[in-house]
Amino acid sequence: MRVLVVEDEPVLADQLASSLGQAGYAVDRAPDGVEGEHLGAVNPYDAVVLDLGLPRLDGLSVLRRWRQAGRNMPVLILTARDSWMEKVDGIDAGADDYLTKPFRMEELLARVRALIRRASGHAVATLRCGPVQLVPATGQVTVGGTPVTLTGHEFRLLSYLMHHQDTIVSKSTLTEHLYAQDFDRDSNTIEVFVGRLRRKLGADAIDTVRGLGYRMRSREA
Ligand code: CA
């Protein structure tokens, strides 16, 4: 899962990036509205955290441009305290949720998880594919009830496949959702990670659909 943070306050931007990174997301950052708008227009993010008060181009304009261009990723806006108008304007401009500054990082992470869950059509907080279970809130993965330890990349890959279960996901889509902008990408590494996940989760946990990609199934065949 890959998240964009558009925030001009350096300390808060650092905190957001490191908390989201620790929670298992690949994180891209933009310090102003122009760069943020560009990144959100060209990259496929699973969620965006967008401050409304931004230099060069304000957050509401950024959001409106994305929505006008058909970008429909979930967007959580950060609004100034006591500004109910900002919230109304933000929601009308296409925001999916908002948080008022200052906020607890735990709450932001919970809201981002919920946005990603809803965007992929899941109402429940625990994802299941046959014997494999993943709890996004804790990062815990179990197979038949037994905990499994995954690296950051393995977790991200598994999380994406489980959020999009019963769907064939191409290698290039996985590459785009696993790595941040500045990461040296190599789509061959996806095969390596899938191989490692199969060793940890069971050989038939992930299907290879020849020529198309990978798929995890909600029920065992
Ligand atoms: Ca700001």
Side-chain angles (χ1 to χ4, degrees):
M1 295 289 172
R2 186 173 171 197
V3 174
L4 172 65
V5 172
V6 190
E7 169 61 66
D8 60 312
E9 292 166 42
V11 174
L12 180 57
D14 283 348
Q15 287 169 347
L16 284 164
S18 80
S19 297
L20 287 161
Q22 279 164 23
Y25 302 102
V27 183
D28 287 342
R29 301 166 56 157
D32 63 62
V34 171
E35 193 175 330
E37 196 270 335
H38 170 70
L39 288 177
V42 300
N43 295 309
Y45 293 105
D46 297 294
V48 177
V49 177
L50 175 67
D51 184 30
L52 288 190
L54 291 169
R56 296 180 75 199
L57 183 65
D58 67 276
L60 273 181
S61 301
V62 171
L63 184 53
R64 286 195 188 105
R65 288 186 192 186
W66 284 339
R67 296 314 192 208
Q68 275 161 17
R71 307 297 288 172
N72 62 358
M73 65 285 198
V75 175
L76 173 102
I77 52 171
L78 304 178
T79 67
R81 190 148 57 155
D82 298 332
S83 178
W84 63 269
M85 285 257 307
E86 254 189 12
K87 292 167 197 156
V88 172
D89 289 345
I91 290 165
D92 282 343
D96 299 277
D97 199 0
Y98 65 84
L99 263 180
T100 303
K101 291 180 176 180
F103 54 83
R104 297 278 307 183
M105 203 54 81
E106 290 85 352
E107 183 173 3
L108 178 126
L109 293 173
R111 287 176 184 271
V112 168
R113 280 195 298 275
L115 286 178
I116 291 175
R117 199 168 69 214
R118 285 203 298 266
S120 59
H122 299 283
V124 292
T126 299
L127 300 169
R128 284 189 188 83
C129 287
V132 183
Q133 188 170 310
L134 184 149
V135 185
T138 58
Q140 198 192 39
V141 176
T142 55
V143 179
T146 306
V148 178
T149 305
L150 301 180
T151 65
H153 280 112
E154 290 165 3
F155 178 81
R156 230 176 268 164
L157 175 55
L158 180 67
S159 179
Y160 193 87
L161 287 174
M162 289 188 76
H163 274 91
H164 299 86
Q165 55 192 254
D166 299 316
T167 304
I168 299 169
V169 183
S170 71
K171 246 195 270 183
S172 64
T173 298
L174 284 169
T175 306
E176 285 181 322
H177 287 270
L178 294 197
Y179 300 117
Q181 178 92 339
D182 51 3
F183 200 88
D184 183 21
R185 293 150 189 226
D186 175 359
S187 68
N188 291 325
T189 60
I190 298 291
E191 285 171 37
V192 175
F193 291 134
V194 167
R196 288 185 195 156
L197 279 173
R198 282 182 176 139
R199 281 197 290 281
K200 292 182 178 183
L201 306 175
D204 52 3
I206 301 170
D207 299 337
T208 297
V209 184
R210 195 184 289 271
L212 295 175
Y214 300 103
R215 177 183 57 205
M216 289 186 74
R217 281 171 300 181
S218 51
R219 295 186 189 285
E220 286 168 279

